[in-house]
Structures are given as C-alpha cells and as structure tokens.
Amino acid sequence: MHGPASSGWLLVALCAVTGAYCLVRMRSGAGEQRLTAGGEALMGFGMAAMAVPAAVFAPPPWAWPAYAVVFGAAAVPALWAARAGAHHLHHLVGAGAMVYMSVVMAGAPAHAHGQGGTGVPVLTGALLLYFAGYVLLTGVRLVPVAAMAGTGAGGGGSAGWGDRPELARACRLSMAIGMVTMLLTL
C-alpha cells in the first residue's frame, strides 16, 4: 500500500499481531470457531504483507495477482459459511475487499493511487463506509463486555485465550480498522 512509512509499519504490526492472536484462537475446541479463526489469521497476515511500505519493499509484479488468488480462494469458504448465517457475510466482504485492493494495486503503477482528481471510486467508497460502520458498531458492542470484564461480573474467568468472545471481537475490530486504513491509502 502507498502512504507514509511510519503508519505503514504500525499497520503491519497491528495486522501481524492480530493474525498471531487468531492462530491462538485456532486452538479452540469448537470446529467452526477454529475455521473462522484460521480465515481471520490469513486475513491478518495477508493485510500485514500488503501493508509493508513500498519504499521498503516493492513487491514483484506477480505478487498482487497472487494476493488476489489467495484471497479469492479464502472467499469461497466464507461464501459457503454465509449460507448458514448472515454473520459470516463480514468475512466474505473482507475477502472481497482484499481481492479488490490486490487487483487495484496490480493495475496501477507505484505511487499513482489517489492522483488524477477523479475522486474516490464507488467501490472503494462503499467498502470504506461498510468497514467504518463495522468499526463503530463493533466498538460500541465491545465496550460493555470490556467494562464487565474489568469488574469481575463477566464470568468466564476460566476461558482460555482462544475462547474469549470479547477478544475475538477486538481481533475483528482491529482488522476492520486496518482495512479502513488500507482503503484510505489505496
């Protein structure tokens, strides 16, 4: 992605730590939770790789189409899972956004994004609105859980790191913040 190197490195760190936590969540006993956490780990590490500042590492021309293929493949299980419940649609939108960003980056020369005075493309704007809304909604939903956990009224003290729902929400929140950042620098 293009943008200042310092914010790029912060985004790399955020996404890599989120991906690592999602790997920890994969140790959960629930099969569906492991599958979801695996997809989120892929997204976190993929976002970290895409966010490395271009001034430090310019990916080879084949990297962006490869990202598009990987995230397109990640969209298939999300599409399949979305049949069972609408809450899986977020994963499908996230994978689709990653494919979109990969295609845009593959088709544009370095440092050419956001220039030309044409404004924000419609799909980029729609994805920005979706992820910004997701960040706000998830943040609001997370506040009561965090407040209860701090008072000891939340119960769940015996849950492992991979089975804590508030940490899973925080993981998704941080990836959505990263997605907003990446879309803004596109």
Side-chain angles (χ1 to χ4, degrees):
M1 306 304 316
H2 302 293
S6 60
S7 62
W9 285 118
L10 288 172
L11 185 58
V12 168
L14 173 73
C15 294
V17 167
T18 301
Y21 173 69
C22 290
L23 287 178
V24 171
R25 285 183 40 228
M26 286 180 66
R27 295 180 58 195
S28 172
E32 183 177 333
Q33 185 176 338
R34 276 195 310 267
L35 186 62
T36 299
E40 290 173 352
L42 173 69
M43 294 294 285
F45 289 127
M47 288 171 66
M50 287 177 70
V52 172
V56 175
F57 174 73
W62 55 265
W64 298 113
Y67 285 140
V69 169
V70 167
F71 291 115
V76 173
L79 180 61
W80 185 258
R83 296 177 319 113
H87 64 280
H88 292 286
L89 287 175
H90 174 70
H91 298 281
L92 182 60
V93 172
M98 294 297 285
V99 170
Y100 169 69
M101 288 189 288
S102 299
V103 169
V104 168
M105 294 300 289
H111 306 292
H113 301 290
Q115 298 176 0
T118 60
V120 176
V122 174
L123 186 53
T124 302
L127 288 169
L128 275 168
L129 285 174
Y130 172 80
F131 284 106
Y134 185 86
V135 164
L136 294 173
L137 183 62
T138 302
V140 166
R141 287 181 178 166
L142 193 59
V143 169
V145 172
M148 288 178 58
T151 63
S158 63
W161 281 100
D163 295 325
R164 297 186 56 186
E166 70 275 11
L167 291 178
R169 278 190 215 125
C171 172
R172 291 183 196 107
L173 175 65
S174 64
M175 282 197 291
I177 291 169
M179 192 69 75
V180 168
T181 305
M182 290 175 78
L183 286 164
L184 286 172
T185 60
L186 190 59

